[in-house]
Amino acid sequence: MHSALPEIDLDDVSTACLFLGRSLAAPLLISSMTGGTPAAGELNERLARVAQEYGLALALGSVRAAVENDSLAPTFQVRRWAPDVFLLCNLGAVQLNYGYGRDECLRAVEITGADALVLHLNPLQEAFQPSGNTRFAGLLRKIEALVRDFPVPVVVKEVGWGISGDIARQLVDCGVAAIDVAGAGGTSWSEIESLRMEPDDLRRKVAEDFRGWGIPTAEAIRQVRAECPSIPLIGSGGLRSGVDLAKALALGADIGGIALPFLKAAAVSEDALRHEVMRVLHGLRLAMFCIGAKNIPSLRCTNRLREEWTT
Ligand SMILES: Cc1cc2nc3c(=O)[nH]c(=O)nc-3n(C[C@H](O)[C@H](O)[C@H](O)COP(=O)(O)O)c2cc1C
């Protein structure tokens, strides 16, 4: 709810914060997306340069391709452009049921020089793929075993259908360091997979039936925060502006994540990406100003969050 009398100066608004013990200039993560081809390597370079410039956290796309083929490693190696960035590498959790273990996960960290490992949970995405990896049985215990003595924090995320409160609770009890809800409302893999299929393919129709599937990001953030009050939490899935980012934090996230808009901008140019990041960060500052939140802790505990109303 807008405050006509914020009682703070815009110049005094600070977006600096801490996440998993690391300082960020703003509570923003460029979510896991790419790597594995020369073009993807170039996108990662642009994402890395801009993350370094603006003090953001950066997650790489699944490093599996490089774990299995050394020659692809350079497309994930962004440290030279992002020496100070909180960098996360990414693997599919289900790989733990397909021969991956501690060594492969360590290799992902080693290849990338990452500060944390993200494991993504994507049962529906795998199920849509013709020969997807759909053996998800027993995964929780494997995640628990991996996390137990892994040298860097392990974050678990979805890919756009959301993590509910009960699932977050189980993951946190296993020792996972942070949760990224990656909820529904943004990039939709049911749409993407259906577009990849022939129009008369039965699986395409099924993918279309799942268009509305998933836990909306706001609901996922609420549920996870209610169930796990102190877990470091990333709110992501459909965040498209600084106002969305502010809402994610006011709902209970510690930082927000954005994927597709940053990839689209990075595909145009580094400058286009810079503009997109500045748009989000400036919007965040203005949203904080207009609710009288001088810093991230006051945004996170604001009492000015309301269900939207029509004007
Ligand atoms: C092109 C693209 C590639 C992605 N690749 C990965 C991936 O490798 N690993 C992963 O965990 N999530 C991946 N994601 C999912 C994103 O990290 C994010 O959770 C999802 O897109 C929702 O955020 P958004 O609505 O801001 O795009 C990808 C998303 C996009 C758009």
Side-chain angles (χ1 to χ4, degrees):
M1 184 165 57
H2 176 68
S3 164
L5 191 61
E7 290 287 1
I8 56 171
D9 296 350
L10 176 57
D11 279 352
D12 288 342
V13 171
S14 164
T15 60
C17 65
L18 279 176
F19 187 69
L20 287 173
R22 292 288 296 266
S23 307
L24 303 177
L28 183 55
L29 166 77
I30 300 176
S31 296
S32 298
M33 282 181 288
T34 199
T37 65
E42 210 169 301
L43 291 171
N44 272 341
E45 176 181 342
R46 291 179 188 170
L47 295 170
R49 285 181 191 276
V50 172
Q52 174 76 23
E53 187 176 333
Y54 289 92
L56 312 182
L58 170 65
L60 301 163
S62 170
V63 195
R64 187 176 154 205
V67 169
E68 290 170 15
N69 177 353
D70 259 351
S71 73
L72 301 176
T75 67
F76 293 95
Q77 288 167 332
V78 299
R79 265 296 178 218
R80 83 196 91 146
W81 304 295
D84 308 310
V85 161
F86 181 52
L87 183 67
L88 304 97
C89 64
N90 182 295
L91 284 172
V94 76
Q95 293 311 315
L96 297 172
N97 273 348
Y98 287 82
Y100 273 44
R102 185 183 153 84
D103 287 351
E104 288 74 17
C105 293
L106 279 176
R107 181 82 190 114
V109 173
E110 186 186 76
I111 289 170
T112 54
D115 303 298
L117 169 69
V118 180
L119 293 177
H120 64 260
L121 294 170
N122 60 343
L124 189 54
Q125 185 188 27
E126 295 287 352
F128 283 143
Q129 289 172 8
S131 44
N133 295 329
T134 49
R135 285 197 272 117
F136 272 71
L139 212 48
L140 186 65
R141 293 282 80 89
K142 295 208 172 144
I143 293 174
E144 182 176 37
L146 175 77
V147 163
R148 199 175 298 131
D149 61 347
F150 203 66
V152 297
V154 178
V155 180
V156 175
K157 77 186 280 281
E158 236 283 346
V159 297
W161 287 292
I163 293 184
S164 54
D166 59 333
I167 301 301
R169 178 79 264 156
Q170 294 178 53
L171 291 164
V172 170
D173 288 347
C174 283
V176 160
I179 301 284
D180 179 345
V181 297
T187 299
S188 161
W189 292 100
S190 49
E191 299 256 333
I192 293 168
E193 297 298 343
S194 79
L195 288 171
R196 278 166 20 128
M197 295 169 198
E198 296 300 322
D200 58 349
D201 190 331
L202 179 75
R203 290 171 312 132
R204 177 172 178 154
K205 303 263 182 292
V206 175
E208 282 167 7
D209 291 341
F210 275 79
R211 202 169 270 155
W213 189 262
I215 307 157
T217 297
E219 173 65 17
I221 295 172
R222 274 203 195 94
Q223 283 194 20
V224 176
R225 184 48 82 216
E227 197 65 46
C228 313
S230 58
I231 191 73
L233 181 60
I234 304 168
S236 76
L239 272 59
R240 296 295 176 258
S241 68
V243 176
D244 290 346
L245 177 56
K247 286 177 186 170
L249 267 64
L251 282 163
D254 293 283
I255 66 172
I258 296 180
L260 188 60
F262 289 157
L263 191 76
K264 281 185 179 166
V268 175
S269 68
E270 197 174 306
D271 254 346
L273 175 61
R274 206 170 271 122
H275 270 91
E276 187 64 2
V277 166
M278 284 192 302
R279 182 181 68 80
V280 172
L281 296 184
H282 193 53
L284 172 66
R285 281 174 62 80
L286 293 193
M288 291 171 69
F289 177 52
C290 290
I291 60 166
K294 211 174 185 167
N295 51 38
I296 296 300
S298 16
L299 168 59
R300 294 199 56 239
C301 66
T302 182
N303 60 3
R304 304 196 71 79
L305 187 68
R306 295 287 188 281
E307 295 298 319
E308 294 201 15
W309 65 84
T310 46
T311 47

